Amino acid sequence: MRQIALLVSAAVLAVLPVAACSTSETPTAAVCDNLTAVQNSAQHVRDTNVAENGLNQLRTDLIQLRTDVQALIASAKSQWKPQADAIRTSLDQLSTSVDAAKSAPGKSAFDAVRQAVTTLETNVKALGDAMHGAC
């Protein structure tokens, strides 16, 4: 369980750079607000103590992160659609991997979570790069 927490924390760290945008373009308020929500949700995931609260709390926090990312995707509309779609797919893969690790913990399950985290990190970085200067 501790390995899952560490892996998910790594995924959350990948999400946080998205919120480190500066102001050089004129974004909609919704995009920036949703970016802040993603940052806050990511912090909750990072703060989840799996040993104390179990994987159910982590799952709840991941659901909130997904909700916030989906709101960001919706507010970004087509401007960052390819990157947003890639993140949505990555979140689906991570959720599936965490569920599998919860059901049948083991090396292969943790490897799948690790790979899903790496993919999420790559896709969030791509969105962060695309949004650079927007918020």
Side-chain angles (χ1 to χ4, degrees):
M1 282 194 197
R2 183 180 173 133
Q3 287 178 328
I4 291 174
L6 293 174
L7 293 172
V8 173
S9 293
V12 170
L13 290 176
V15 174
L16 292 178
V18 173
C21 299
S22 63
T23 56
S24 67
E25 298 174 7
T26 308
T28 65
V31 172
C32 293
D33 289 347
N34 289 327
L35 202 54
T36 300
V38 167
Q39 182 181 21
N40 292 336
S41 294
Q43 183 66 42
H44 288 290
V45 171
R46 183 188 312 142
D47 291 344
T48 299
N49 184 337
V50 175
E52 188 176 301
N53 301 320
L55 285 174
N56 288 333
Q57 181 62 49
L58 178 60
R59 183 77 177 129
T60 299
D61 292 340
L62 284 171
I63 290 168
Q64 183 61 51
L65 178 59
R66 171 188 296 280
T67 300
D68 292 338
V69 168
Q70 288 172 336
L72 175 61
I73 290 166
S75 66
K77 300 198 182 349
S78 62
Q79 186 173 359
W80 298 293
K81 186 175 181 352
Q83 296 88 355
D85 287 346
I87 290 172
R88 184 180 302 137
T89 299
S90 298
L91 284 170
D92 289 343
Q93 291 170 345
L94 180 57
S95 293
T96 299
S97 298
V98 169
D99 288 344
K102 183 180 175 182
S103 296
K107 183 182 179 339
S108 63
F110 293 134
D111 287 345
V113 171
R114 196 172 294 115
Q115 180 58 46
V117 167
T118 300
T119 302
L120 177 62
E121 181 178 19
T122 299
N123 291 330
V124 170
K125 183 178 181 328
L127 177 61
D129 291 346
M131 291 180 74
H132 182 72
C135 294

